[in-house]
Amino acid sequence: LSNCAPPARSPRPIGVFDSGVGGLTVLKALTAQLPREHFVYLGDTARLPYGTKSPETVARYSLQAAEALADYGVKCLVIACNTASSVGLPAIRERIENVPVIGVIEPGAQAACAASRTGNIAVIATEGTVRGGAYQQAILRIRPDARVNASPAPLFVALAEEGLNEGPIANDIATHYLRPMFCASDGSAPDTLVLGCTHFPMLAGAIRRAVGASVQIVDSAATTAASVDAQLRAAGLMRTDGGDGGIRLLATDGCERFARVGSRFLERSISPDEVELVDL
Ligand code: DGL
């Protein structure tokens, strides 16, 4: 008999998927909530953006990405992309059996319904997410009395990627998108705004200035992280060996750009060598 300990098995990671770097805002919330877990993050940078593509194409891309992450032995899959969550979840859940699959829309809708006093809720997202109506439906399922006003804000994606989060351009574009939704002075203006796109938390300052101090702004990243935490606990899937957490980063194109732009989204420096190129 050997007195050697069996080789330590590496902990099963949590898979996180987005169309690009935007989901790093969700990964940041996940690592804050679950600092001891291992994460493998896949950004489908070769096919970004998803927000302007048809639902069929987004669903197909999302399924391929989910299957690629399943090959890493993930114990839970987070669809950290609003557009992918809005059209891809049913097919992914059907294909990736025995692994909880969590999107960002349901937690965001729950947070919005809890935050809103009047039930008058605004949602800004990509064209695809707004067109698909997933936020509108999720909010009305939870709160049938709600009035939901959803509107696309596609330029916010480009601004966040360019690093133009603050300053006159960001302020002007935020005003352009948001003032018409919030201008009613008869009490019918929304009291809550859902940031229904991974990139939008990067523009939180400009968005806050455009809507004013009294509006509740809901960013689904933190609520999604809380939901992942709860589901892992309920399923007995929490890591218990006390080791350090870790992140593995995968992209389908442009590792250098992923690292450069992604560093701002994750709020920590990413070196291009940390990013592995994968093909779906
Ligand atoms: N990640 C996407 C989302 O949250 C935004 C970027 C894209 O259009 O692919 O909807």
Side-chain angles (χ1 to χ4, degrees), residues 114-183:
S116 176
R117 203 173 38 78
T118 61
N120 208 342
I121 298 170
V123 179
I124 48 170
T126 63
E127 282 171 48
T129 303
V130 170
R131 199 180 46 228
Y135 266 108
Q136 296 92 313
Q137 288 155 21
I139 290 169
L140 289 169
R141 262 197 309 274
I142 302 164
R143 198 166 164 174
D145 67 317
R147 286 176 310 282
V148 189
N149 180 1
S151 188
L155 287 173
F156 281 162
V157 173
L159 286 176
E161 297 229 345
E162 288 298 314
L164 291 171
N165 308 355
E166 289 289 347
I169 300 175
N171 288 340
D172 282 354
I173 294 175
T175 303
H176 167 75
Y177 284 139
L178 293 162
R179 281 285 158 83
M181 299 175 94
F182 286 86
C183 65

Side-chain angles (χ1 to χ4, degrees), residues 206-254:
I207 291 171
R208 167 60 72 204
R209 279 188 287 280
V211 298
S214 63
V215 172
Q216 300 283 334
I217 296 180
V218 171
D219 159 9
S220 56
T223 34
T224 300
S227 171
V228 173
D229 187 339
Q231 295 204 36
L232 288 182
R233 267 176 220 285
L237 288 170
M238 213 70 160
R239 189 174 168 201
T240 51
D241 62 27
D244 289 337
I247 298 176
R248 185 168 177 184
L249 298 170
L250 316 173
T252 52
D253 191 30

Side-chain angles (χ1 to χ4, degrees), residues 18-23 47-52 80-84 104 125-126 129 157 161 196-200:
D18 178 48
S19 56
V21 293
R47 304 189 289 194
L48 176 92
Y50 281 17
T52 51
C81 174
N82 293 261
T83 311
V104 285
T126 63
T129 303
V157 173
E161 297 229 345
C197 174
T198 50
H199 287 59
F200 297 177

